Amino acid sequence: MLAVQRQQTILELVRLNGAVKVVDLVREFGVSDITIRRDLELLAERGLLAKVHGGATVIGTGSTDEPGFAVKSVRQENEKLVIARRAAGMVLPGTAVALSAGTTTWTLAHQLVNLPGLTVVTNSVRIADVFQHGGRPDQTVVLTGGVRTPSDALVGPVAVAAIRLLNVDVLFLGVHGMTTRAGFTTPNMMEAETDRALVEAASSLVVLADHTKWGTVGISTIARLSEADVVISDGGLPETARTALAEQAGELVIV
């Protein structure tokens, strides 16, 4: 195996598992300890992982750090748009859908504003505003209420109580991160509880997650990978992630 191929595989292992150990990589690739450490140093210098004592971890913020809506809205805009367009094609007129709070689901909302007879349940003021400004009189928007988070989700007991009274055909769920071990996660524990209520209220779960979400772990799990009926992601998703999602989720769609 060429060095560049080995380094790419190491990076995929980090994203898949959240972390790797030097001793395990030495055994995996049959090379020296020095070679693996050099690989990790090169990947760290390129900003692709964080080198730690005895191995490496996913680079990024902690499991409880929660970026605001404005920060997240400018990340991976093109990927979010193509994911949203694909998701919109799954929605039929006259159905009841739930959209969790998030920038990818907010992008999806813009693709659904002209769909007739739609009933939308959401815990996002921003998403509710998209439909309100769309102005279709035959659409119904149900806003859960609750306590507002830094990422503009409405969460907590008020939101959960409202959601538990409802039933929807499909939930489109945006997530902070996803891994094989932790599943679909969020950095906000109250938001996880609210999202779990949305999952329970829906007949079908569709997760919208661009490739950067793979390998990121929030403190609280919303759902396991196996609970998703469909996962929609983009072409940047690494092969190891595609394999894991294809095996565990109901269907993986790459756009």
Side-chain angles (χ1 to χ4, degrees):
M1 179 180 289
L2 298 175
V4 66
Q5 294 174 314
R6 185 177 61 250
Q7 289 161 15
Q8 180 60 39
T9 304
I10 290 172
L11 185 58
E12 291 180 359
L13 288 170
V14 172
R15 289 172 174 169
L16 178 66
N17 300 305
V20 292
K21 295 180 179 179
V22 170
V23 62
D24 293 334
L25 296 177
V26 168
R27 187 182 308 113
E28 174 74 19
F29 296 105
V31 295
S32 69
D33 180 283
I34 294 175
T35 297
I36 292 297
R37 292 184 186 278
R38 186 183 302 117
D39 287 338
L40 296 181
E41 287 173 1
L42 289 171
L43 291 169
E45 288 173 1
R46 293 166 57 193
L48 298 174
L49 52 73
K51 193 171 180 292
V52 297
H53 180 71
T57 65
V58 173
I59 195 166
T61 57
S63 63
T64 60
D65 290 328
E66 186 173 6
F69 187 94
V71 172
K72 294 194 293 183
S73 66
V74 296
R75 296 176 178 172
Q76 283 72 49
E77 291 180 276
N78 291 333
E79 289 90 340
K80 290 174 182 176
L81 180 58
V82 294
I83 289 170
R85 285 174 174 168
R86 178 64 178 82
M90 301 173 64
V91 182
L92 298 174
T95 55
V97 302
L99 275 65
S100 72
T103 53
T104 309
T105 46
W106 176 76
T107 304
L108 171 59
H110 287 82
Q111 303 297 314
L112 298 176
V113 290
N114 293 316
L115 200 65
L118 200 63
T119 297
V120 179
V121 176
T122 185
N123 65 323
S124 166
V125 174
R126 290 179 182 265
I127 288 175
D129 282 345
V130 170
F131 289 100
Q132 178 65 31
H133 296 151
R136 282 198 69 103
D138 58 351
Q139 288 184 339
T140 301
V141 179
V142 180
L143 185 60
T144 65
V147 179
R148 202 165 188 165
T149 71
S151 60
D152 274 355
L154 297 176
V155 302
V158 172
V160 171
I163 294 165
R164 284 179 175 166
L165 296 173
L166 303 172
N167 300 287
V168 297
D169 298 305
V170 58
L171 164 64
F172 292 98
L173 177 69
V175 298
H176 175 75
M178 54 182 178
T179 65
T180 52
R181 179 185 62 81
F184 303 108
T185 61
T186 172
N188 188 301
M189 289 187 284
M190 290 181 69
E191 185 168 2
E193 181 184 17
T194 304
D195 285 344
R196 283 194 290 268
L198 286 169
V199 171
E200 292 172 3
S203 298
S204 178
L205 171 60
V206 179
V207 176
L208 311 181
D210 68 74
H211 70 278
T212 64
K213 304 300 177 67
W214 186 258
T216 299
V217 180
I219 192 170
S220 191
T221 295
I222 302 165
R224 297 297 174 188
L225 299 186
S226 59
E227 294 181 63
D229 295 288
V230 182
V231 177
I232 305 178
S233 191
D234 62 88
L237 193 69
E239 286 301 325
T240 48
R242 298 188 190 202
T243 300
L245 288 166
E247 289 177 349
Q248 297 189 48
E251 180 184 1
L252 173 63
V253 177
I254 300 295
V255 293

